[in-house]
Amino acid sequence: MFTLLRTHIEKRVHLIDEEFEVISKFFIPKKVRKKQFLLHEGEVCKNIGFVNSGCLREYTIDNKGSEHIIQFAIEDWWISDPNSYLSGLPSTYNIDALEDSKVLLLEKSSREKLLDSCPKMERFFRILIETNFVATQRRITDSLSTSAEERYLKFVKTYPKLIEQVSQNHIASYLGITPQSLSRIRKELTQK
Amino acid sequence: MFTLLRTHIEKRVHLIDEEFEVISKFFIPKKVRKKQFLLHEGEVCKNIGFVNSGCLREYTIDNKGSEHIIQFAIEDWWISDPNSYLSGLPSTYNIDALEDSKVLLLEKSSREKLLDSCPKMERFFRILIETNFVATQRRITDSLSTSAEERYLKFVKTYPKLIEQVSQNHIASYLGITPQSLSRIRKELTQK
């Protein structure tokens, strides 16, 4: 149950068995059925979740009732609303499962204890968040400076595993385009 | 010269005088004149910069030659291309000064030594990057789910100091709209 998490952490910091045994005790395993929610808008996000299997998405609903996908999370990824998790303020996002999933949850108070008791985890989270920050900055750059077709091609190249797990409608929502536009782009790419 | 940096760090972690004395030695002060570059596209980003005074911007140039501002940095903010800084790959961004500025530079190898010698700075950077990550995630959400007018109003509310330091053309570039659209939005807001 914790094998993937250990490999994931050890890509950033080296751990001995005794250290990982302590670390793993802070995580709570949870099964999330397809369409089940891990977080509802208006609730405080109490956990960050490491995805052991399956696929989840984080989305917001705008004033007109349209859904916008902010993030996907498949095996070996994390999901949460970091703003709500860190500030304790109600979330403006929803997190639900796109397929039956298994996650390892880390509560805020547990993470604080973990960070105090294990400095290597302080380093792990610093490195993890730096990587995530780079990815979000890249996404902002792409949203400002590239066409929808370029963003789609980049998405396919960057997340080949994800393409197999999520629908075209969800990818369109993530890219900030209509399903019709994505369909047209895919058709044009096939013809090229 | 280091007073602002110390206050900035101490908002996240407490330091004693001896600790800050060690920390400050890792930073190199640099003056950047208006229009001078701190980073050119194609170079490796060797530093992260803490802004003591002035204003800088980070931007990219798309295939059509248009500039897109990714980030501003005024007093008490950081600026760098984290992707290039962390990976050692050439940057796709430019960083230049919008007015005469003073920055404190932290080289990659210096930061690694600093993180190894002072665990509190590991915590400091973890907290700093978490905050930045939250802000970039919020920006992605806004770009997907809010109108240009809402984004402009939010920008004014969130960064009141910045509004005084950067031109309307730069704000339009940051918001991903044309200067003409921003001008129309501001006119409409005045009439409301």
Side-chain angles (χ1 to χ4, degrees):
Chain A
M1 187 186 293
F2 291 102
T3 316
L4 188 65
L5 178 65
R6 178 157 186 178
T7 312
H8 176 86
I9 297 172
E10 290 228 52
K11 278 180 199 158
R12 282 95 182 170
V13 290
H14 178 65
L15 300 171
I16 56 169
D17 289 351
E18 291 71 19
E19 285 170 329
F20 187 72
E21 203 178 328
V22 173
I23 292 166
S24 65
K25 290 198 186 346
F26 287 94
F27 287 83
I28 303 160
K30 187 178 168 74
K31 288 184 184 176
V32 196
R33 290 190 320 281
K34 185 175 175 172
K35 295 193 179 176
Q36 197 184 344
F37 282 78
L38 207 56
L39 175 71
H40 280 105
E41 188 184 328
E43 291 173 359
V44 173
C45 178
K46 291 184 180 147
N47 298 287
I48 50 175
F50 176 77
V51 183
N52 243 336
S53 66
C55 182
L56 299 100
R57 66 166 174 167
E58 182 170 9
Y59 67 96
T60 187
I61 299 170
D62 70 18
N63 296 336
K64 292 173 189 158
S66 302
E67 280 179 19
H68 302 278
I69 296 178
I70 308 305
Q71 199 207 322
F72 296 106
I74 56 172
E75 193 181 291
D76 206 33
W77 292 25
W78 294 82
I79 196 152
S80 82
D81 171 2
N83 183 38
S84 173
Y85 183 76
L86 296 168
S87 68
L89 292 170
S91 179
T92 52
Y93 299 107
N94 300 279
I95 297 174
D96 67 356
L98 295 174
E99 55 186 75
D100 289 350
S101 304
K102 288 179 185 169
V103 292
L104 297 171
L105 299 178
L106 180 62
E107 279 190 10
K108 194 184 175 187
S109 59
S110 299
R111 194 178 80 131
E112 280 165 11
K113 278 179 212 152
L114 174 60
L115 292 169
D116 283 338
S117 61
C118 181
K120 281 185 184 174
M121 288 305 283
E122 189 77 69
R123 173 159 290 193
F124 164 75
F125 277 109
R126 194 257 306 158
I127 296 172
L128 178 73
I129 299 156
E130 277 177 352
T131 315
N132 289 348
F133 179 67
V134 165
T136 51
Q137 200 186 45
R138 171 53 47 201
R139 194 165 161 207
I140 288 171
T141 306
D142 290 345
S143 78
L144 289 170
S145 65
T146 61
S147 68
E149 181 179 306
E150 285 169 315
R151 294 206 301 282
Y152 173 68
L153 285 172
K154 204 162 185 176
F155 183 85
V156 173
K157 196 178 162 191
T158 313
Y159 307 115
K161 265 188 163 180
L162 197 50
I163 287 288
E164 295 165 19
Q165 283 179 268
V166 299
S167 73
Q168 294 302 317
N169 281 4
H170 288 148
I171 295 172
S173 170
Y174 178 91
L175 296 174
I177 56 176
T178 62
Q180 292 74 28
S181 297
L182 181 57
S183 177
R184 197 185 58 243
I185 288 167
R186 296 181 73 219
K187 205 172 159 189
E188 283 167 5
L189 285 169
T190 321
Q191 291 163 348
K192 271 182 187 175
Chain B
M1 186 185 293
F2 292 103
T3 316
L4 188 66
L5 179 66
R6 178 156 185 181
T7 312
H8 176 86
I9 297 172
E10 290 228 52
K11 280 182 198 155
R12 282 96 180 166
V13 291
H14 179 66
L15 299 172
I16 57 170
D17 288 351
E18 290 71 21
E19 284 171 330
F20 187 72
E21 205 179 325
V22 173
I23 292 166
S24 65
K25 291 199 187 345
F26 287 95
F27 287 83
I28 302 159
K30 186 178 170 75
K31 287 182 185 177
V32 197
R33 289 189 321 281
K34 185 174 174 173
K35 297 193 177 176
Q36 198 185 342
F37 282 78
L38 207 57
L39 176 70
H40 280 105
E41 188 185 328
E43 289 172 1
V44 174
C45 179
K46 289 184 182 147
N47 299 286
I48 50 174
F50 176 76
V51 184
N52 244 335
S53 67
C55 182
L56 299 100
R57 67 167 174 167
E58 182 170 8
Y59 67 95
T60 187
I61 299 170
D62 70 18
N63 296 337
K64 291 172 190 159
S66 302
E67 280 179 20
H68 302 278
I69 296 179
I70 307 306
Q71 198 206 325
F72 296 106
I74 56 172
E75 192 181 290
D76 205 32
W77 293 25
W78 294 82
I79 196 150
S80 81
D81 171 1
N83 183 38
S84 173
Y85 184 76
L86 296 169
S87 68
L89 293 171
S91 178
T92 53
Y93 300 106
N94 299 280
I95 297 174
D96 67 356
L98 295 175
E99 54 186 77
D100 288 352
S101 305
K102 287 178 184 169
V103 292
L104 297 171
L105 299 178
L106 181 61
E107 278 190 12
K108 193 182 176 188
S109 59
S110 299
R111 193 177 80 131
E112 279 164 12
K113 278 179 212 150
L114 175 60
L115 292 170
D116 283 337
S117 61
C118 181
K120 281 185 184 174
M121 288 305 284
E122 189 78 68
R123 173 159 291 193
F124 164 75
F125 277 109
R126 194 256 306 157
I127 296 171
L128 177 75
I129 299 156
E130 277 177 351
T131 315
N132 289 349
F133 179 65
V134 165
T136 50
Q137 200 186 44
R138 172 52 49 197
R139 194 166 162 206
I140 288 170
T141 306
D142 290 343
S143 79
L144 289 170
S145 65
T146 62
S147 68
E149 182 180 307
E150 286 169 312
R151 294 205 301 281
Y152 173 68
L153 286 171
K154 203 162 187 178
F155 183 84
V156 173
K157 197 179 161 189
T158 313
Y159 307 113
K161 266 189 163 178
L162 198 50
I163 287 289
E164 296 165 18
Q165 285 179 266
V166 298
S167 72
Q168 294 302 317
N169 280 4
H170 288 146
I171 295 172
S173 169
Y174 178 91
L175 295 173
I177 56 178
T178 63
Q180 293 74 27
S181 297
L182 181 56
S183 177
R184 198 185 57 244
I185 287 168
R186 295 182 73 219
K187 205 174 160 188
E188 284 167 4
L189 286 168
T190 320
Q191 290 165 350
K192 272 185 186 171

